[in-house]
Amino acid sequence: MLQGKVMPTANNVRPIIRLKYVAYTLLPLIAALLLFSQPTLASTENSANDDSCYVDGLSDRLHCGYVTVPENYAKPDGKQIRVHYAVLPAIKPSFTKEALLAIAGGPGQSAIENAASFDHIFTKVRQQRDILLIDQRGTGQSNLLQCDNDAAVEAILSINENNVDIQAETQKCLDGIDADVTQYGSEIALKDFEAVRSHLGYQKLHVYGISYGTRMAQLYMRHYPQVLATVTLDGVVPMQQSVLHIGDAIDRAIDLLWQDCNDNSLCRQQFGELKQQFEQVNQQLQNGPIISQTRDPLTNEPTQLTMTQAKFMGAIRMALYSTNVRALIPHAIHQAAEGNFQAIMGLYALTVNSTGIAMGMHSSVVCGEDWQRLSEQQVQQAQQSYFAREMLKSFDITCPIWNMPVVDSKQFSAAIDSDIPTLVLSGQIDPATPPSWGELAMEKLSNAKHFIAPYATHGVAYQSCGNELIAQLVNSSSVEQLSETCLSNDVSRNFYLNANTVEQIAKPSDADNQSSTTQGATHD
């Protein structure tokens, strides 16, 4: 799902004491798309209809407010909800009737909570244009649809996910939400976005969508093309694709990890049986959990660890989103194969409670727009992948309870036919939205370019010169002069060969004499 979020490293992860129990237990399996991996939580002051405000991580005074809209547009006199927005004002406003709208991923993430990261990405755009952030209905401050069950970290580590009654927990979550969850789909939320744009007086929007946000951007292209100047789709979910196909994307990203380690002489030397060790641990945990005493990865206090297949596979999957954390995976798997799961718990800690997903809104979107359009053949195919199988199993339980109306699959799933200047960005090692999804999105985009960043995971604009390309697109309103050359700059991460250091990659000419050319470098 899917970004305003800071990529996690060992040095910037903050302790988190309380976790959303249902969300955390199921998230490694069912949260379809993520933006980034470490949240930058925001709090706004002065939430009047229009006023100045501040958000965590930014010293700038922003312009914040909300529009009041019907929860159900078919019942304009019925329940009303507030859709909140924040505007990062242009440094030197030259285009007062334009703004860049940055749409968060998930589905279920708050755009406003990621204001600092969006500001980082769009520094150049903001020189002349406002950056508009909207908390989509059901997220952040816009009538949040979230479950209230909390559990301490130590309870999460000791729990056996196989014993969780997903049906009961889902019903409990639904019963605790004061909303008509059927009104929180993407196309309804798009009407809110238009209400905010009209309220603020912007005549044209440059839209940037990341992950699930690319679906919202594409719907904007379909329903309101007249107000769009340019579009950037970063880590795109094409309309033709159900997000539940992410299982295939995860499997592909894991295969690329094996390949990258094998192509790296030092990683190959240190972890020559990496894939086999992964399969060994996975099979062992499939037979049953391993219970041991460990150190809490956040507090270092002694605690019980119930290592399950879901924890192990979830930790690997989430680690693939960040190049920094991806570099740790071979060492963590190697240690797990030797019976030491502390490194896996380290990966777990880097992503614990890190997605900021509003699970109620997440379920509304996926159950209404993705789950029900899977063909029988696709359902059968999902059984071949652990991740796809477990996601589908969870939604097979959750979605009948959520009881979302089905979108018109033929109309909803049609490729976007547009001549709006559009930049499509894909990361070659993306574990959620692979480059083939970008190609699918390009089917009927007649004025678009698709660039693949060879060293990027999910969220190209944050990890490369993609942000520069977006600024060029916004300034010129044309894709003609855009070049992907800068994306080829080698920013790849070396693999950790042990718990403390990163080794430099041996030169090809030194492959037969690695021991004399290896140099250790402490990771900072």
Side-chain angles (χ1 to χ4, degrees), residues 42-63:
S43 61
T44 60
E45 301 172 359
N46 302 323
S47 57
N49 193 34
D50 285 287
D51 211 333
S52 61
C53 65
Y54 293 91
V55 297
D56 290 351
L58 285 178
S59 59
D60 310 51
R61 178 179 294 183
L62 310 184
H63 173 60

Side-chain angles (χ1 to χ4, degrees), residues 407-480:
V407 296
D408 181 338
S409 183
K410 183 177 180 180
Q411 186 273 337
F412 190 85
S413 302
I416 299 299
D417 188 346
S418 173
D419 64 356
I420 298 170
T422 303
L423 173 62
V424 179
L425 297 172
S426 297
Q428 176 61 27
I429 55 175
D430 189 333
T433 55
S436 61
W437 290 24
E439 284 301 306
L440 194 57
M442 290 283 289
E443 180 181 341
K444 294 185 178 181
L445 299 181
S446 60
N447 189 15
K449 287 188 176 182
H450 179 205
F451 294 157
I452 301 172
Y455 306 107
T457 57
H458 194 53
V460 174
Y462 199 90
Q463 303 174 56
S464 67
C465 68
N467 59 334
E468 303 278 348
L469 298 176
I470 296 169
Q472 291 178 37
L473 173 64
V474 169
N475 288 332
S476 66
S477 290
S478 171
V479 298
E480 292 303 317

Side-chain angles (χ1 to χ4, degrees), residues 73 136 184-192 212 216 219 222-224 239 369 407-408 411-412:
Y73 277 92
Q136 186 168 333
Y184 288 78
S186 300
E187 291 182 305
I188 295 174
L190 190 61
K191 296 180 180 180
D192 301 339
Y212 161 74
M216 292 297 294
L219 289 173
R222 172 178 289 165
H223 293 288
Y224 303 101
M239 298 306 299
E369 300 169 11
V407 296
D408 181 338
Q411 186 273 337
F412 190 85

Side-chain angles (χ1 to χ4, degrees), residues 232-290:
T232 300
L233 307 175
D234 190 354
V236 61
V237 185
M239 298 306 299
Q240 306 96 304
Q241 191 82 293
S242 166
V243 298
L244 295 181
H245 285 292
I246 193 177
D248 296 335
I250 301 168
D251 292 338
R252 171 187 175 275
I254 292 176
D255 286 341
L256 286 175
L257 177 70
W258 308 150
Q259 179 181 320
D260 287 349
C261 182
N262 187 63
D263 290 345
N264 179 322
S265 58
L266 298 177
C267 188
R268 183 174 66 249
Q269 181 182 34
Q270 186 81 354
F271 310 116
E273 299 180 349
L274 183 61
K275 182 178 180 180
Q276 294 86 337
Q277 289 180 330
F278 170 79
E279 292 173 346
Q280 168 195 327
V281 176
N282 188 32
Q283 182 61 53
Q284 186 178 13
L285 294 172
Q286 185 177 345
N287 295 334
I290 298 174

Side-chain angles (χ1 to χ4, degrees), residues 464-514:
S464 67
C465 68
N467 59 334
E468 303 278 348
L469 298 176
I470 296 169
Q472 291 178 37
L473 173 64
V474 169
N475 288 332
S476 66
S477 290
S478 171
V479 298
E480 292 303 317
Q481 300 302 316
L482 297 183
S483 170
E484 61 188 318
T485 303
C486 66
L487 293 172
S488 297
N489 294 335
D490 190 346
V491 292
S492 58
R493 295 294 309 218
N494 297 336
F495 288 106
Y496 283 75
L497 301 185
N498 53 59
N500 301 312
T501 64
V502 172
E503 300 288 340
Q504 294 183 355
I505 300 175
K507 298 178 182 179
S509 59
D510 295 331
D512 297 328
N513 189 27
Q514 295 166 11

Side-chain angles (χ1 to χ4, degrees), residues 352-367:
V352 125
N353 199 36
S354 63
T355 59
I357 296 287
M359 291 306 295
M361 180 272 195
H362 182 92
S363 296
S364 290
V365 170
V366 177
C367 291

Side-chain angles (χ1 to χ4, degrees), residues 62-137:
L62 310 184
H63 173 60
C64 295
Y66 59 82
V67 295
T68 302
V69 298
E71 182 178 54
N72 185 340
Y73 277 92
K75 300 178 180 179
D77 297 326
K79 179 181 176 180
Q80 306 291 300
I81 62 173
R82 293 175 174 179
V83 175
H84 284 256
Y85 61 82
V87 176
L88 284 62
I91 305 302
K92 297 178 181 179
S94 302
F95 301 89
T96 58
K97 296 300 182 180
E98 293 184 13
L100 184 143
L101 170 63
I103 308 177
Q109 290 184 319
S110 160
I112 296 175
E113 287 179 1
N114 289 285
S117 292
F118 279 130
D119 179 63
H120 175 78
I121 295 173
F122 300 119
T123 297
K124 286 195 173 182
V125 175
R126 194 184 166 194
Q127 295 305 305
Q128 295 180 304
R129 292 172 175 85
D130 294 346
I131 308 299
L132 172 60
L133 308 176
I134 302 173
D135 273 352
Q136 186 168 333
R137 60 167 55 197

